[in-house]
């Protein structure tokens, strides 16, 4: 395969070839493999090339799981490109996304009957009903979560839906669940893969085909968080009421037992009491909508009796046979989730974390398994299918490969081989410099404004140095909003762009590139964003991306560690920081400056983790002197052409 590269106009990369050989070796020996692949080695080709061969030989599909929709779609393009260049003329592939990405014609048609026909929501619903919009990505300029939540697929009716023959979501679900020989590549996000593993573990019908030849998990540094998110069960008063109503209807149809009515009335009363108490807790404790707060003990509700009734319902549902099998499976899963909630609230189960929040302006109760490593050990790394974990950022410092991969191994319950790290081929020594702003005060809640003011002044100085062309990465949305507001009140030499709400950021990236301005961002921009060339000449990390200590997940992880800072908070921060800083140098000719506006990293701060951070990043030219940075920018010509 690689011998053909020069003939078909592709560049040979040793790291890419080594990675492909490692994957082939793992597959042949029936082993799992963990491989860190540095920026620029061509990671997707490195796993797609052996995957194409493995699929051809085995006649079984290859599952590729990624951490974002953008990356799924990019891999699909890469598969088409490399497959056709290497002579794989008939590759059947599908991209599977979460149901929230698809438009629902059933819901849209329902809205048109009840909503004011001139409202923006009605216009959107009409476009969906008229087949102009199938997915969220079809909407140019993006759309807010709040508006989209009214028309996306939610509690799908599957076979019973009159729109199923023209539904993109229904078609996708059929393709990813096809017989093993009917599909070659199934590209899904990690959430969908994990939902599939959960369903199969619980004994219900999976979402993805039963017998893959190989599973590749790209951006595997995100897998732990994705498993936690997938394992998190969320309950609102409205949704819980709907689950109980649906269960009552199905069970009553089958048995017409009179005591069912009384039992479900009792369950609804219990749920009402629980959510009244949750709302009180949120009113008293939550400062912002996304705050996760502890739930006070639920008293005066016979939770154990409620759990017992729910268990009887679950048993009745498990023996039902019907043409609506998928609907019953989903309901069975929902009822089992409610049993877990009642057991956790009653103190019967202590293997879950629990918190309350205001999500989408609705009081929400969430429960999440404490440990996820056992789940992955037995559902994913069990030896039935070779699993390849890869990312540009998987390792910490350490002398042996086991030590370098240790944090992820422990977090994920990984069992398998560790492959040599494939380093980035880019010339960071000559093409980049890292600047640490040493005079900005430390950030804490008491002096937040003083920190933001000082960081803002330094940011302005840095953006002027490179004539804009700067991506600013924030750890907190509140900080980004504060800085955006300040920038809007100034007369600037460069345009300001801010990340848009919604999944696709292509529009704002295109605007940023054409104006060569400054782009303020958070969340998805820390990874997967690829802006090559001089349009992006500086990356500013506003604050080191440490996780929030009071977050229930990190609070639990810290409680299990001997040294929480060293064992949990620094390794987690480093994974995210390495991802963020990887946005700067995206090609062999790129030049750029990495600026970190967090003086905890300065030499004077004497933080234990400074050496770990500097050792983990590829930027070896480091300064805390603005004059040195300015000289580097001038020497390398990191300025607008024509200036």
């Amino acid at each position: 395969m690689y011998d053909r590269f020069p003939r078909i106009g592709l560049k040979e990369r040793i790291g890419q070839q080594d990675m492909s050989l490692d994957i082939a070796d793992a597959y042949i020996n029936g082993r799992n493999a963990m491989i860190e692949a540095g920026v620029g080695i061509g990671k997707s080709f490195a796993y797609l090339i052996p995957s194409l061969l493995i699929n051809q030989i085995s006649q079984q599909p290859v599952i590729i799981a990624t951490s974002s929709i953008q990356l799924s779609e990019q891999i699909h393009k890469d598969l088409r490109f490399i497959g056709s260049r290497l002579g794989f003329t008939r590759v059947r592939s599908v991209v599977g996304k979460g149901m929230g990405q698809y438009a629902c014609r059933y819901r849209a048609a329902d809205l048109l009957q009840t909503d004011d026909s001139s409202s923006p929501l009605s216009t959107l619903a009409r476009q969906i009903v008229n087949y102009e919009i199938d997915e969220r990505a079809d909407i140019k300029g993006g759309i807010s979560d709040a508006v989209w939540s009214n028309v996306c697929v939610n509690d799908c009716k599957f076979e019973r839906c009159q729109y199923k023959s023209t539904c993109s979501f229904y078609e996708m679900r059929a393709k990813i669940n096809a017989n093993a020989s009917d599909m070659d590549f199934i590209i899904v996000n990690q959430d969908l893969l994990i939902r599939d593993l959960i369903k199969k573990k619980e004994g219900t019908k999976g979402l993805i085909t039963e017998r893959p030849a190989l599973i590749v998990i790209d951006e595997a540094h995100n897998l732990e968080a994705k498993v936690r998110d997938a394992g998190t069960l969320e309950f609102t008063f409205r949704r819980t009421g709907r689950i109980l109503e649906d269960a009552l209807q199905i069970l009553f149809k089958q048995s017409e037992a009179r005591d069912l009515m009384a039992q479900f009335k009792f369950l609804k009363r219990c749920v009402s009491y629980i959510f009244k108490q949750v709302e009180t807790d949120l009113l008293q404790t939550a400062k912002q909508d996304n705050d996760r707060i502890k739930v006070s003990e639920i008293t005066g509700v016979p939770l154990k009796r409620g759990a017992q009734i729910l268990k009887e319902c679950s048993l009745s549902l498990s023996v039902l046979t019907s043409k609506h099998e998928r609907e019953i499976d989903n309901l069975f899963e929902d009822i089992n989730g409610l049993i877990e909630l009642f057991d956790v609230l009653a103190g019967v189960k202590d293997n879950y974390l629990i918190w309350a929040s205001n999500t989408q302006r609705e009081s929400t109760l969430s429960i999440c398994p404490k440990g996820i490593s056992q789940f992955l050990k037995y559902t994913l790394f069990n030896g039935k299918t070779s699993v390849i974990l890869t990312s540009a950022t998987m390792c910490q410092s350490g002398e042996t490969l086991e030590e370098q991969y240790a944090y992820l191994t422990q977090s994920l319950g990984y069992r398998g081989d560790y492959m040599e790290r494939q380093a980035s081929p880019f010339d960071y020594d000559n093409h980049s410099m890292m600047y640490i702003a040493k005079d900005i005060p430390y950030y804490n809640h008491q002096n937040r404004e003083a920190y933001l003011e000082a960081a803002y002044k330094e940011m302005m100085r840095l953006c002027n140095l490179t004539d804009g062309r700067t991506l600013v990465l924030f750890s907190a949305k509140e900080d980004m909003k504060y800085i955006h507001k300040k920038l809007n009140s100034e007369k600037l030499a460069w345009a300001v762009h801010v990340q848009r709400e919604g999944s696709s950021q292509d529009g704002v990236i295109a605007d940023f590139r054409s104006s060569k301005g400054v782009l303020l961002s958070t969340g998805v921009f820390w990874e997967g964003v690829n802006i090559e060339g001089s349009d992006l000449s500086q990356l500013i990390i506003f604050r080191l991306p440490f996780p929030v200590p009071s977050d229930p997940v990190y609070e639990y992880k810290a409680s299990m560690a001997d040294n929480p800072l060293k064992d949990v908070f620094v390794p987690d921060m480093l994974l995210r920081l390495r991802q963020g800083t990887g946005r700067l140098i995206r090609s062999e000719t790129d030049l750029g400056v990495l600026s970190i506006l967090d003086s905890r990293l300065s030499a004077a701060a004497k933080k234990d983790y400074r050496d770990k951070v500097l050792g983990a990043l590829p930027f070896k030219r480091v300064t805390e002197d603005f004059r040195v940075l300015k000289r580097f920018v001038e020497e390398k010509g990191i300025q607008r052409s024509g200036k």
Side-chain angles (χ1 to χ4, degrees):
M1 289 288 163
Y2 280 105
D3 288 347
R4 295 187 213 165
F5 264 41
R7 290 205 307 277
I8 57 176
L10 294 175
K11 189 172 181 183
E12 290 188 86
R13 294 172 183 177
I14 298 300
Q16 188 183 93
Q17 293 186 27
D18 287 348
M19 184 174 165
S20 285
L21 290 164
D22 282 341
I23 291 169
D25 196 52
Y27 172 75
I28 289 162
N29 293 301
R31 303 280 291 164
N32 301 321
M34 221 183 225
I35 312 168
E36 180 174 286
V39 177
I41 75 154
K43 172 164 51 86
S44 60
F45 283 8
Y47 59 69
L48 286 172
I49 289 169
S51 297
L52 282 159
L53 281 167
I54 288 164
N55 165 253
Q56 189 180 59
I57 291 159
S58 68
Q59 298 298 300
Q60 292 169 264
V62 173
I63 294 172
I64 297 172
T66 72
S67 61
S68 70
I69 292 162
Q70 288 95 326
L71 189 55
S72 296
E73 287 171 344
Q74 184 57 51
I75 288 163
H76 199 232
K77 283 180 196 162
D78 289 349
L79 172 66
R80 291 261 179 257
F81 174 80
I82 197 67
S84 65
R85 286 290 180 100
L86 294 174
F88 294 88
T89 51
R90 188 174 169 268
V91 178
R92 298 159 303 172
S93 56
V94 58
V95 176
K97 305 171 191 174
M99 62 167 64
Q101 294 303 317
Y102 296 88
C104 178
R105 292 206 168 84
Y106 182 90
R107 293 183 76 201
D110 201 40
L111 254 174
L112 281 176
Q113 291 174 359
T114 56
D115 201 48
D116 170 16
S117 60
S118 62
S119 75
L121 192 55
S122 274
T123 306
L124 176 64
R126 205 170 295 108
Q127 287 174 303
I128 292 166
V129 170
N130 293 338
Y131 304 99
E132 292 166 41
I133 292 169
D134 287 319
E135 298 179 31
R136 187 173 183 166
D138 296 336
I139 301 168
K140 287 183 173 63
I143 186 171
S144 74
D145 292 341
V147 173
W148 182 249
S149 66
N150 293 288
V151 290
C152 64
V153 176
N154 178 14
D155 294 337
C156 183
K157 293 185 173 297
F158 293 104
E159 285 78 13
R160 290 191 299 126
C161 183
Q162 69 200 75
Y163 297 97
K164 70 178 183 186
S165 61
T166 58
C167 175
S168 295
F169 171 69
Y170 187 85
E171 182 190 13
M172 177 277 292
R173 284 287 286 266
K175 282 182 177 176
I176 67 170
N177 210 339
N179 292 327
S181 58
D182 293 341
M183 190 56 65
D184 299 315
F185 278 78
I186 298 168
I187 303 167
V188 295
N189 52 31
Q190 289 174 17
D191 312 69
L192 209 55
L193 174 68
I194 296 153
R195 295 286 306 136
D196 175 67
L197 295 175
I198 290 169
K199 277 181 170 284
K200 286 170 182 167
K201 179 177 176 277
E202 289 173 350
T204 56
K205 188 170 168 54
L207 303 171
I208 307 176
T209 190
E210 283 291 331
R211 289 178 58 243
L214 180 73
I215 297 173
V216 178
I217 299 179
D218 199 347
E219 304 298 325
H221 62 278
N222 281 320
L223 188 60
E224 182 192 359
K226 296 286 186 183
V227 174
R228 286 199 188 280
D229 288 347
T232 297
L233 301 175
E234 290 187 341
F235 304 90
T236 62
F237 181 63
R238 268 195 308 179
R239 183 170 173 268
T240 308
R242 196 164 63 239
I243 291 166
L244 293 175
E245 199 58 54
D246 290 350
L248 174 61
Q249 277 184 19
I250 281 178
L251 292 172
F252 195 73
K253 255 184 218 168
Q254 296 286 328
S255 67
E256 296 191 11
R258 297 231 167 252
D259 60 340
L260 272 174
M261 295 287 196
Q263 286 176 337
F264 275 83
K265 211 171 183 179
F266 167 77
L267 287 172
K268 284 178 181 174
R269 272 205 312 276
C270 289
V271 167
S272 181
Y273 280 126
I274 290 166
F275 277 95
K276 270 184 188 156
Q277 192 158 325
V278 167
E279 279 167 17
T280 305
D281 287 347
L282 283 165
L283 276 171
Q284 290 171 353
T285 315
K287 293 177 181 68
Q288 297 173 136
D289 279 357
N290 57 353
D291 280 359
R292 292 169 163 188
I293 65 149
K294 286 189 170 70
V295 179
S296 57
E297 192 186 346
I298 305 285
T299 54
V301 181
L303 293 162
K304 287 180 184 173
R305 189 183 154 211
Q308 191 51 47
I309 293 170
L310 286 166
K311 281 167 191 165
E312 287 162 16
C313 291
S314 174
L315 189 63
S316 302
L317 285 169
S318 71
V319 296
L320 284 186
T321 52
S322 158
K323 62 179 178 179
H324 306 313
E325 181 192 346
R326 190 143 32 173
E327 193 181 350
I328 290 168
D329 271 355
N330 288 343
L331 197 53
F332 175 71
E333 203 178 312
D334 289 338
I335 291 290
N336 285 344
L338 277 177
I339 293 166
E340 298 288 350
L341 177 67
F342 272 63
D343 281 347
V344 171
L345 289 171
V348 174
K349 287 192 172 176
D350 63 355
N351 58 332
Y352 279 89
L353 304 168
I354 182 164
W355 66 86
S357 59
N358 270 316
T359 310
Q360 301 274 342
R361 300 199 184 99
E362 215 173 349
S363 300
T364 305
L365 251 181
S366 302
I367 59 172
C368 158
K370 283 181 175 174
I372 60 134
S373 58
Q374 291 299 102
F375 166 75
L376 285 175
K377 193 181 279 185
Y378 294 111
T379 60
L380 188 62
F381 306 123
N382 54 23
K384 288 180 184 172
T385 302
S386 287
V387 179
I388 310 300
L389 299 179
T390 186
S391 164
T393 56
M394 302 180 85
C395 295
Q396 309 286 324
S397 54
E399 289 182 17
T400 66
L401 284 174
E402 281 84 352
E403 285 171 4
Q404 291 165 20
Y405 287 109
Y407 180 65
L408 268 193
T409 297
Q410 200 175 345
S411 300
L412 300 175
Y414 173 74
R415 295 191 290 196
D417 297 336
Y418 304 108
M419 300 303 187
E420 286 295 334
R421 296 166 71 176
Q422 304 299 334
S424 170
F426 299 157
D427 186 0
Y428 283 90
D429 291 358
N430 290 309
H431 287 189
S432 64
M433 180 175 273
M434 177 173 163
Y435 169 69
I436 299 165
K438 66 181 191 298
D439 297 324
I440 294 169
Y442 289 178
Y443 178 96
N444 60 48
H445 286 296
Q446 284 71 43
N447 77 338
R448 177 174 176 259
E449 205 152 314
Y451 161 78
L452 286 170
E453 286 297 321
Y456 174 75
K457 280 179 188 162
E458 189 70 348
M459 188 194 93
M460 290 289 284
R461 188 161 71 137
L462 288 161
C463 291
N464 286 328
L465 180 66
T466 56
D467 300 317
R469 295 175 304 138
T470 299
L471 174 65
V472 189
L473 290 176
F474 293 86
S475 305
K477 268 188 183 169
E478 289 74 25
D479 293 355
M480 183 173 81
K481 286 176 184 170
Y482 183 97
I483 297 299
H484 187 224
K485 193 176 174 186
K486 278 190 75 72
L487 286 170
N488 277 344
S489 66
E490 300 237 14
K491 198 173 178 183
L492 303 166
W494 24 262
V496 178
H497 306 275
V498 69
Q499 174 184 345
R500 292 173 189 159
E501 195 177 325
S503 57
S504 177
Q505 299 297 332
D506 294 348
V508 76
I509 289 170
D511 293 346
F512 163 71
R513 292 193 81 138
S514 64
S515 77
K516 297 175 173 42
V518 172
L519 173 54
L520 311 180
S521 59
T522 182
V524 294
F525 275 84
W526 281 82
E527 53 189 83
V529 172
N530 187 25
I531 306 171
E532 278 186 34
S534 62
D535 293 346
L536 176 59
S537 295
Q538 179 172 214
L539 179 79
I540 295 178
I541 303 285
F542 216 73
R543 256 196 292 149
L544 292 175
F546 279 105
V548 178
S550 60
D551 181 284
V553 170
Y554 286 100
E555 201 172 50
Y556 166 71
K557 286 181 84 168
S559 74
M560 303 301 288
D562 294 333
N563 183 333
L565 182 67
K566 184 169 160 249
D567 300 341
V568 176
F569 292 104
V570 169
D572 200 275
M573 177 273 286
L574 264 177
L575 286 179
R576 193 145 186 250
L577 182 65
R578 289 184 68 205
Q579 273 296 319
T581 56
R583 300 311 101 215
L584 180 63
I585 303 294
R586 304 299 299 176
S587 77
E588 287 167 351
T589 56
D590 276 5
L591 299 163
V593 170
L594 166 67
S595 300
I596 297 182
L597 310 187
D598 195 326
S599 58
R600 288 174 294 181
L601 208 53
S602 66
K606 292 186 169 63
K607 294 287 183 189
D608 291 344
Y609 51 79
R610 174 182 154 92
D611 287 346
K612 276 196 169 180
V613 172
L614 297 184
L617 297 177
F619 304 87
K620 299 310 171 200
R621 294 172 77 170
V622 181
T623 186
E624 296 182 13
D625 187 335
F626 189 83
R627 290 166 301 180
V628 173
L629 181 73
K630 192 172 184 223
R631 202 155 51 241
F632 173 80
V633 168
E634 286 165 357
E635 278 170 16
K636 295 293 176 185
I638 303 174
Q639 57 212 352
R640 283 193 191 171
S641 53
K643 269 207 163 192

